[in-house]
Every structure is written in structure tokens, then in C-alpha cells.
Amino acid sequence: MTVDPSRTFGPGPSGKAAPSPQNPHGGPAPSSNKAREALGAVRAEVAKAVVGQDPAVAGILIALLCRGHILLEGVPGVAKTLLVKSVAAALDVETKRVQFTSDLMPGDVTGSLVFDSASSEFTFREGPVFTNLLLADEINRTPPKTQASLLEAMEERQVTVDGVGHPLPSPFLVAATQNPVEYEGTYPLPEAQLDRFLLKVTLPVPPREDEITVLTRHAAGFDPRNLAAAGLRPVASAADVEAGIEQVRRVGVAPQVAAYIVDIARATRFSPSLALGVSPRGATALLGTSRAWAWLNGRDFVTPDDVQALAQSTLAHRLTLRPEAELEGVSVGSVLDAAVNSVPVPR
């Protein structure tokens, strides 16, 4: 996720809260409440196990607050799986992990009907998708029909089997991971499924200082399979997430900021380098993530800075380059930056 590193929310790894900014529309922003403080503390807690991936932690929290889902991309060994497990441990929510493989069937994820010999009837046995935080590990290694089995769960928050809907618990988040460099035996996610992910966050290889910290922790006995021994403890709950969701919905969006988001989306549709621009759903997603980011920063209103901070992670995976642009080495990120910079910032 592309964010300004000087702008933080809640208690970060340093344990210090961000200052509460003033509302230009009248009066100070509301003081941090219990839900914001609890979710802000998740960053400091996750930092006990994961080094240098604060934007990804922020992305997961934003996805939770928007009732969306997140795609985490990175080369092997940058702590994608550990990150999701650490967030789940700090949030005190149920989590399950599915390793996606080429022979995984839809029923292995959603559940299926099983014959009960005692009652001589078929009963529904829930799959791992019935949890609060589902880690879909290496989602691009399973065939399209199994990838598609998540579509209803992600969008409708239910699983339909034999015409009967089974609601999923709340909160519910799919955190999927994929490897961007190894393509043998993979099935790239189609545009329709990519669009279902609210955010896509790239986990980079850590800088030298962070990598030294990682090795120092392991030399001191850190075991990524034992997060409790690392000192991780629950600092927020599902109730805090639900409270945060309700408060994010109350974050105000001025008409000129809403128009700014629409103009950015429209600018991508007219870009000569893109075959597919941002849809209205993408613009709505950017509105939602900007509101969540504003709330986490202690404000009850959205600013253009919030929109710019979330544009790359919310929109880039929804864009498709033209073949000739790919041949010229043009990147989606640079095209999106150009589109954002072409739109006048409201004052």
C-alpha cells in the first residue's frame, strides 16, 4: 500500500499515538475512542513478530473496517503468512488457513453435504471459510473453479449449498497471498475476482536494517510457529472491529472530495495505456478505504491526502494495461500516478 510514512494512526510500533488533527469544517476531530485505540494498538502488537511491514498491517485493518478483502503479494519469505497469523492473534478472532493447490476442490473450501448414517440424511459440514479471518495461501495455485468458490463468500458473506444459504460469521475477511515471480503451475486470478479484493498490498523485501533485526530475533530464539512465546497477546476484539465499522460509516465526505474520487476513476478510463480503467465499484472502494484511513487517523472527514494515500493499493489491481504499453515497459503504478496527478486537487 502506498502511504506517506510520516502519517500514522493510533499507537504505532513506537507506542505513541498520532496527534488529533483539526476539522477544517468546524471544530476539532473527535478524540480517539476505545475501538480506534484498540485497533491502533494492533500495529504495535504485530511488530513483535513481523518487522517492517506496517503498510500491510494497516491494509488488513482498513479491509476489516470496510468489510472487504485483501490480496497480499510478495516473494517467498517476506512473512505474508506470519503477518496474517499475527494480526489474527492480536485481534483475538478465529482464523483458519487453506493451502491452495492444483487438486483443491470448491467443497474443500466452502464445505459440502455429508451423509449422516444415524439420521439417514445429508447434512452440511462447514468448510474452513466459516471463520473470521481466512488465510487463502497461494490462491493463484488452484484452478479457476476453486478460486470462484470464494466469490459468493467474499461478496454475499454466505455459502449456498443445495439451494440453502449458510451465513458466514462477522467480521469476515479473506486475506489471500500470491507469489509474483513463480508462474509455473499457477492460475492467475481473473479480473472479476481481482475486483472483489478491496486492496492489494505488495510486501517488499525488507531493507538491510530490518533484515538484521529479523536475524537478531531468530538468533535470540524467536519461533514464528509460537507467537505466544513472542509476547503477542489480544489487544482488540471482534466487537472493536464491529464498532469501528459503524463509526467509519459516519465519516463525512465533502462533495468536492467525492467528485475528486470520481474524476480520478474517469481519468483512468481515458488513459491511452489502459485497456480497462477503474469501474464505479472501484471508485466506491476508494471512497470506503479513504474513510477508514481518515477514521484511523482520528478524523471524522476525508481529505484529498487520504484519497491519494489509498489510490495505489485500492485501484492498481483493477487496471489492465494495453499490450503495446506492456511491450514498452509501462507499469500500472506509473499510469495510475499520472491519472491521479492529472486531476486538480480540491481545496
Side-chain angles (χ1 to χ4, degrees):
M1 182 170 61
T2 304
V3 296
D4 183 345
S6 66
R7 302 173 68 238
T8 59
F9 63 87
S14 65
K16 296 181 180 180
S20 179
Q22 297 292 311
N23 185 343
H25 304 291
S31 58
S32 296
N33 54 24
K34 177 181 178 296
R36 184 187 292 115
E37 291 171 352
L39 293 175
V42 169
R43 278 182 69 209
E45 204 64 23
V46 172
K48 295 178 180 178
V50 182
V51 179
Q53 300 293 2
D54 287 343
V57 179
I60 292 176
L61 294 177
I62 290 170
L64 280 168
L65 290 169
C66 295
R67 292 171 60 85
H69 309 282
I70 187 168
L71 180 62
L72 302 172
E73 185 175 88
V75 298
V78 292
K80 298 186 296 294
T81 303
L82 178 61
L83 174 73
V84 176
K85 288 183 176 180
S86 300
V87 171
L91 282 173
D92 192 23
V93 294
E94 182 185 21
T95 181
K96 293 179 182 177
R97 176 179 178 270
V98 177
Q99 181 65 50
F100 280 71
T101 57
S102 59
D103 59 349
L104 194 73
M105 299 298 291
D108 297 330
V109 179
T110 61
S112 57
L113 293 175
V114 178
F115 184 73
D116 186 348
S117 58
S119 61
S120 298
E121 295 180 348
F122 283 94
T123 59
F124 177 66
R125 179 176 295 174
E126 295 180 349
V129 75
F130 287 84
T131 187
N132 296 121
L133 201 164
L134 175 68
L135 172 57
D137 226 347
E138 295 188 290
I139 191 172
N140 58 335
R141 289 200 171 277
T142 200
K145 68 176 182 180
T146 305
Q147 294 175 1
S149 68
L150 281 174
L151 285 176
E152 182 188 16
M154 293 170 69
E155 187 67 22
E156 306 295 335
R157 295 178 176 268
Q158 70 170 14
V159 170
T160 301
V161 177
D162 200 25
V164 179
H166 303 270
L168 295 170
S170 184
F172 172 68
L173 168 78
V174 174
T177 71
Q178 69 176 12
N179 181 345
V181 296
E182 189 177 353
Y183 295 108
E184 185 176 352
T186 64
Y187 305 83
L189 290 171
E191 285 76 7
Q193 183 135 2
L194 276 174
D195 200 44
R196 288 294 192 274
F197 285 99
L198 181 74
L199 297 162
K200 178 183 175 182
V201 179
T202 299
L203 278 70
V205 174
R208 182 175 183 272
E209 294 75 14
D210 288 344
E211 197 165 0
I212 290 174
T213 302
V214 171
L215 265 63
T216 302
R217 288 184 178 184
H218 279 264
F222 172 71
D223 183 359
R225 290 170 290 276
N226 187 358
L227 296 179
L232 255 74
R233 60 185 180 85
V235 294
S237 65
D240 292 319
V241 174
E242 295 293 345
I245 290 171
E246 289 302 315
Q247 291 174 35
V248 166
R249 288 172 178 162
R250 301 190 186 106
V251 173
V253 182
Q256 58 267 34
V257 175
Y260 180 55
I261 293 173
V262 169
D263 289 342
I264 290 174
R266 292 179 65 83
T268 65
R269 297 170 201 162
F270 294 105
S271 171
S273 298
L274 296 177
L276 180 66
V278 174
S279 68
R281 176 161 55 191
T284 303
L286 182 55
L287 173 68
T289 57
S290 299
R291 293 171 87 178
W293 185 239
W295 180 78
L296 287 167
N297 276 282
R299 281 179 280 107
D300 64 350
F301 61 95
V302 175
T303 69
D305 284 347
D306 298 321
V307 176
Q308 294 169 8
L310 273 299
Q312 282 286 343
S313 56
T314 308
L315 303 181
H317 63 288
R318 306 171 194 271
L319 305 176
T320 302
L321 284 172
R322 293 186 184 276
E324 54 269 28
E326 287 189 89
L327 290 174
E328 293 172 1
V330 176
S331 69
V332 166
S334 63
V335 174
L336 180 55
D337 280 340
V340 173
N341 292 333
S342 71
V343 178
V345 180
R347 300 297 180 187

